[in-house]
């Protein structure tokens, strides 16, 4: 009895060899520069910002090199799987235009290297495991949960490095005969990789972000195939899939860095070249005076749905992530204002190796800028699209009179210095509500220096009687004339020279006109607001303050 007998006993129906699969999935016809990257999430029901930023990097690397970015569904852990999760992942990528060239969804396989869903690749993994068993580099392990618990507590109490290694790797020492007999008896088993490594020895490893690292060799006989569903573990699937799918760059979280020695050893066992690795730093956030990891449990912004629900423009979300992806991104963007992130050349060397601090204020700034550059038609379209999904009240306002809504959006827009107060579509309603009689029912008026009711009445009445205009050319000079007539300085210079000579200045007058109309002391251009509201509505609002 030899290893071949063992391999055939475990996988009697696996007839294809690694060479067969190499023919089915030939090396991709690309030149050395063209990268093949993949996003390989587990469908656990959530699109984490950390995964999404890895997907952007994957996409950028492929784009920069005219290569291929594909999506692989890593669903080997059926207990953690949540239905609908793979749809959410693909939808999120598509929503942000980070579209994979190859993927599988709903029975449709796009690309020649599929299936792209791991649970559908069982036979392939089995062929690779069968080979390892036949060359003596993998074996069945019959240790029970109790055996492993015992091993762990022994290692803990004796301060021994944890894991199934050296003398702790009990089943490694079983003869092939014993292994075959135990399988025939029906004993449950997993398959473990047989490591040849020596933990005391170091080897050189280059991570594209962290640079040259000296790592300890692996000596742990890791599980590569689970007992219940006969699916591979992440470690093994990574080797097989990234080899057959021709991945050149693996972008993944730095929590996988400690697994690199096992991955390298497994690639070597097959005589495959490992891909390049880009281990991305954790996304951090400021919390008071300290920084900590963004947490799925505590921070709503850890989920990509947060940004969509609040209505941040897609480009703003991506650009805010670009600023933590590459430290020179903002500088590059300032120097190339007409270019988009798609023109940017990603470099792992310009990635922080210690942690990426994500700042929602930065997102707000980027977003305000992007929204300020939109035309009214663009903002109308985007915000309406958002409202239909997330805000019944804004949808109602828009549908009441789309042109009126557009006119409001156009205040201080499509000009050299546009307004920058909208950071997300969910801000809009709270910034424009006073333009709608349906919503205008203020309880609080933000009066400034002038708060005397008689004086307010006087200012408003005189304005409506003598100086009202919606002609932007003469609007401000009329307000100045009103100021002069009522004893306020018409310009600031005069006022500063001799403040005691006046009741106040033209800004105080403008504030009264503004607050009486909107209840707010800060609004965009008042003349534009008046023009849109129209004389009747203005008069109606002002009348409330008239005294006899
Ligand atoms: N399925 C793994 C995860 O979700 C992917 C890691 C990788 O990209 O290789 O963490």
């Amino acid at each position: 009895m030899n290893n071949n007998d063992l391999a055939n006993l475990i996988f009697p129906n696996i007839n294809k060899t690694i060479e067969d699969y190499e023919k089915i999935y030939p090396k991709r016809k690309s030149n050395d520069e063209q990268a093949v990257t993949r996003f390989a999430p587990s469908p656990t029901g959530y699109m984490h910002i950390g995964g999404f930023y890895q997907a952007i990097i994957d996409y950028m690397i492929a784009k920069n090199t005219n290569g291929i970015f594909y999506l692989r569904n890593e669903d080997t852990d059926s207990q953690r799987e949540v239905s609908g999760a793979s749809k959410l992942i693909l939808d999120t990528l598509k929503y942000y235009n980070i579209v994979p060239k190859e993927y599988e969804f709903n029975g449709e396989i796009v690309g020649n290297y599929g299936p792209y869903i791991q649970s559908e690749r069982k036979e392939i993994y089995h062929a690779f495991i069968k080979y390892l068993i036949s060359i003596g580099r993998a074996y069945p392990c019959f240790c029970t949960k109790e055996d492993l618990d015992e091993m762990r507590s022994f290692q803990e109490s004796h301060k021994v490095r944890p894991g199934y290694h050296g003398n702790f790797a009990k089943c490694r020492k079983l003869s092939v005969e014993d292994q075959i007999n135990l399988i025939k008896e029906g004993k449950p088993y997993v398959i473990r990789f047989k490591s040849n490594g020596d933990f005391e020895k170091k080897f050189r490893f280059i991570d594209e972000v962290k640079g040259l690292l000296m790592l300890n060799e692996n000596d742990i006989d890791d599980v590569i195939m689970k007992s219940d569903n006969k699916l591979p573990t992440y470690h093994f699937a990574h080797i097989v899939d990234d080899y057959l799918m021709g991945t050149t760059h693996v972008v993944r979280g730095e929590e996988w860095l400690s697994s690199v020695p096992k991955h390298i050893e497994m690639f070597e066992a097959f005589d495959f070249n490992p891909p390049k690795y880009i281990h991305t730093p954790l996304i951090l956030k400021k919390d008071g005076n300290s920084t900590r990891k963004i947490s799925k449990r505590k921070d709503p912004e850890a989920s990509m749905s947060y940004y969509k629900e609040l209505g941040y423009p897609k480009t703003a979300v991506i650009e805010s992530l670009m600023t933590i992806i590459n430290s020179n991104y903002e500088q590059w963007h300032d120097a190339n204002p007409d270019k988009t992130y798609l023109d940017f050349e990603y470099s792992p060397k310009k990635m922080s190796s210690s942690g990426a601090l994500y700042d929602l204020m930065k997102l707000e700034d980027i977003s305000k800028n992007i929204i300020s550059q939109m035309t009214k038609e663009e903002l109308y379209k985007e915000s309406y699209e958002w409202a239909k999904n997330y805000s019944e009240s804004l949808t109602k306002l828009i549908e009441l009179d789309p042109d009126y809504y557009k006119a409001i959006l156009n205040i201080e827009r499509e000009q050299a210095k546009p307004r920058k107060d909208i950071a997300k579509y969910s801000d809009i309603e709270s910034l424009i509500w006073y333009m709608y009689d349906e919503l205008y029912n203020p309880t609080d008026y933000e009066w400034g220096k002038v708060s005397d009711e008689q004086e307010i009445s006087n200012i408003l009445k005189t304005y409506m009687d003598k100086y009202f205009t919606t002609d932007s050319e003469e609007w401000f000079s009329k307000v100045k004339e009103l100021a002069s007539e009522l004893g306020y300085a018409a310009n600031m210079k005069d006022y500063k020279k001799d403040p005691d000579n006046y009741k106040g200045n033209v800004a105080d007058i403008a504030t009264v006109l503004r607050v009486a109309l909107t209840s707010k002391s800060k609004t965009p251009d008042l003349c534009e607001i008046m023009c849109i509201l129209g004389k009747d509505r203005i008069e109606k609002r002002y009348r409330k303050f008239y005294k006899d």
Side-chain angles (χ1 to χ4, degrees), residues 83 134 155 166 230 255 271 389 419 425 434-435 452 459 487 498:
S83 78
S134 72
Q155 289 173 331
K230 309 285 180 218
E255 66 274 19
D271 209 11
N389 289 315
R419 66 190 281 194
Y425 308 132
Y434 54 75
M435 299 300 287
D452 176 73
I459 292 170
D498 193 3

Side-chain angles (χ1 to χ4, degrees), residues 38 40-42 74 234 251-252 256:
R38 89 292 193 275
S42 303
E74 305 218 323
Y234 164 74
V251 178
R252 63 183 182 186
W256 294 112

Side-chain angles (χ1 to χ4, degrees), residues 429-448:
E429 196 175 333
S430 66
L431 291 169
I432 67 166
W433 63 281
Y434 54 75
M435 299 300 287
Y436 288 89
D437 287 341
E438 293 80 353
L439 302 180
Y440 193 70
N441 191 13
T443 46
D444 183 31
Y445 287 84
E446 298 171 357
W447 300 114

